[in-house]
Amino acid sequence: MGKESKHSEKEGYFGEFGGRYSPEILHDALVELEATYKKLKKNKHFKKELEYYRKNYIGRPSPLTYAERLTKAWGGARIWLKREDLNHTGAHKINNTIGQVLIAKAMGKTRIIAETGAGQHGVATATVGAMFQLETVVYMGDEDLRRQELNAIRMRMMGAKVVGVSAGTATLKDATSEAMRDWALNVSNTHYIVGSSIGPHPFPTIVRDFQSVIGIESRKQFKKENGKLPNAVVACVGGGSNAIGMFYGFIKDKKVKLYGVEAGGYSSTPGSHSATMAFGKTGFLHGTKTLVIQDEFGQIVPAHSVSAGLDYPGVGPEHAYLHQSGRVTYANVNDEGALDAFLEVCRIEGIIPALETAHAFQYAKSLAKEMGKKEDILICLSGRGDKDVAEVARLRKGEFS
């Protein structure tokens, strides 16, 4: 990433954020993972194998779609969609799990584990676990199991064991904590497929690299289609993997404005949102130094979002750096705004977006109205919303009877 990230592969930092703050029992595993990944990145066979699965299993490159009807309805900038919802498993998460399962295979691991919130990373992990015939365990908060029952069933159908987590708020943070405990106990035969750009080094770099295919493809596709680059790029941010992957392709293009959209929940009161950039302070969470929503005593404050995938009280360390440096502008959209955008995209474009992505759509709508009709906004449509249909119907009861 050059000058923009100030990222040292050796130290694993993005400016002041990042690092490896893990239990001693995981130190050797993280060192092994870093060393293995560095070798594989230069290995021609690994690159060829990764490209094979991207093309023939995931279905890459994902399409770039001009959203003509949204453009007309919003009355401003032209709207373009990077269709990660059309990947196998229905989201961007498979880009990362394919890469990490190949690393696990290279390290001789026989078991993989994962955390999941919205369930898309869990499904993507269960998918590669089935394909490579590895024992697979996915940790998921009980509240998210309720909201995302369909994805839990999909994981079990593919042979994964889904473990509910009742601790804390029973959401993504707590599932991540349980997955880390499992890894510490079973580190000899297990690889932890971290699902977002979080965790101790080298995970934020590994996830960013595997998701960077989104931004690299997008830049190439957009330039071929339009003879120029978009004026703005918008992506939702929880831990931040789809966003960091999308931003990566444009980070050096200073004229392209980058916008990350977090979950504003239902108010600015602590515990009612997941807006880390607006309310977080520097702290430590799940093995990395980053921005964290915490109280005056440094204790983690529970996060909330209508979308299970954004319900996390921290953010990836590279996002924290990009916020601090000013290269990316971070905003937030509340629950009702996300629900409105979810239904609007359904009815205007015939696309059911993930509730996570709906936050990005709602922000892009207001942004489009501020921009000129000859300008372009590119949205990362990070996943499809089949998983959210029952929850949206429950929250908007009466609209669909």
Side-chain angles (χ1 to χ4, degrees):
M1 299 221 9
K3 293 181 180 178
E4 289 299 336
S5 73
K6 292 186 179 177
H7 168 241
S8 165
E9 286 278 342
K10 185 177 181 181
E11 296 180 359
Y13 278 89
F14 307 89
E16 68 174 279
F17 302 106
R20 183 183 291 150
Y21 299 89
S22 59
E24 188 176 345
I25 195 169
L26 293 177
H27 176 76
D28 289 349
L30 289 164
V31 170
E32 178 192 16
L33 176 60
E34 182 181 11
T36 302
Y37 179 58
K38 282 183 176 179
K39 288 179 183 177
L40 290 176
K41 277 202 300 185
K42 300 174 184 177
N43 184 288
K44 290 182 180 179
H45 176 72
F46 175 78
K47 290 181 187 178
K48 188 175 180 180
E49 192 173 18
L50 179 61
E51 189 54 39
Y52 170 84
Y53 285 114
R54 281 176 171 171
K55 179 181 178 181
N56 298 294
Y57 195 68
I58 300 175
R60 304 207 70 90
S62 61
L64 178 74
T65 301
Y66 174 51
E68 182 179 0
R69 284 155 295 282
L70 277 180
T71 299
K72 184 177 180 181
W74 292 353
R78 292 183 292 250
I79 306 300
W80 299 79
L81 312 175
K82 179 58 170 168
R83 300 294 304 277
E84 293 300 292
D85 60 314
L86 297 180
N87 291 340
H88 177 45
T89 73
H92 67 291
K93 295 294 187 181
I94 192 74
N95 301 324
N96 172 49
T97 61
I98 280 286
Q100 286 206 50
V101 81
L102 293 177
I103 297 175
K105 181 182 166 187
M107 292 190 295
K109 304 297 183 180
T110 58
R111 181 175 180 266
I112 54 175
I113 62 173
E115 86 297 334
T116 195
Q120 288 301 101
H121 176 59
V123 169
T125 300
T127 300
V128 297
M131 184 172 65
F132 286 93
Q133 292 296 289
L134 297 174
E135 180 186 350
T136 305
V137 178
V138 179
Y139 290 89
M140 192 170 185
D142 284 346
E143 170 62 10
D144 293 336
L145 279 168
R146 179 193 67 77
R147 292 191 286 186
Q148 306 290 336
E149 184 182 8
L150 174 63
N151 275 344
I153 293 170
R154 291 170 74 193
M155 288 179 245
R156 293 181 180 119
M157 283 180 169
M158 286 184 282
K161 180 181 179 182
V162 180
V163 179
V165 178
S166 60
T169 56
T171 55
L172 182 57
K173 174 184 73 71
D174 311 292
T176 304
S177 297
E178 286 302 314
M180 285 196 159
R181 288 190 189 96
D182 182 316
W183 194 31
L185 291 171
N186 299 285
V187 71
S188 61
N189 72 330
T190 299
H191 174 62
Y192 177 14
I193 300 184
V194 172
S196 195
S197 52
I198 60 171
H201 178 67
F203 281 115
T205 298
I206 289 174
V207 175
R208 191 270 321 276
D209 287 354
F210 288 139
Q211 293 294 1
S212 69
V213 67
I214 304 170
I216 293 169
E217 279 182 9
S218 295
R219 190 182 190 280
K220 184 178 179 181
Q221 289 169 320
F222 197 94
K223 197 162 188 179
K224 183 178 180 181
E225 182 79 17
N226 298 285
K228 69 179 189 75
L229 296 178
N231 301 90
V233 174
V234 182
C236 63
V237 178
S241 62
N242 91 93
I244 205 66
M246 177 59 112
F247 295 162
Y248 186 85
F250 301 93
I251 204 84
K252 295 179 181 178
D253 300 305
K254 298 293 180 66
K255 291 184 179 180
V256 179
K257 295 180 180 179
L258 306 176
Y259 298 91
V261 187
E262 296 186 300
Y266 55 85
S267 81
S268 60
T269 304
S272 63
H273 61 78
S274 301
T276 305
M277 297 305 188
F279 302 102
K281 298 175 184 177
T282 301
F284 300 87
L285 180 62
H286 295 138
T288 193
K289 181 182 180 183
T290 186
L291 292 174
V292 182
I293 303 173
Q294 53 192 298
D295 64 20
E296 59 186 309
F297 303 107
Q299 298 300 305
I300 307 301
V301 173
H304 161 78
S305 173
V306 70
S307 57
L310 302 186
D311 199 346
Y312 187 68
V315 70
E318 191 165 8
H319 281 293
Y321 168 73
L322 291 170
H323 170 66
Q324 186 184 71
S325 69
R327 178 62 186 96
V328 179
T329 299
Y330 293 87
N332 59 80
V333 163
N334 64 26
D335 287 351
E336 288 304 310
L339 288 165
D340 288 343
F342 177 94
L343 294 171
E344 185 173 26
V345 175
C346 287
R347 290 162 178 167
I348 293 177
E349 284 291 337
I351 294 171
I352 303 176
L355 268 175
E356 291 76 20
T357 310
H359 288 73
F361 274 107
Q362 183 67 11
Y363 183 78
K365 179 179 181 177
S366 60
L367 186 64
K369 294 177 185 297
E370 297 171 8
M371 295 169 61
K373 292 189 176 183
K374 292 184 178 180
E375 294 185 291
D376 298 279
I377 297 175
L378 173 59
I379 303 171
C380 182
L381 209 177
S382 57
R384 68 178 186 235
D386 306 52
K387 65 185 180 61
D388 297 309
V389 168
E391 182 69 357
V392 172
R394 184 184 72 84
L395 291 168
R396 290 290 179 90
K397 51 183 175 289
E399 284 193 43
F400 311 103
S401 56

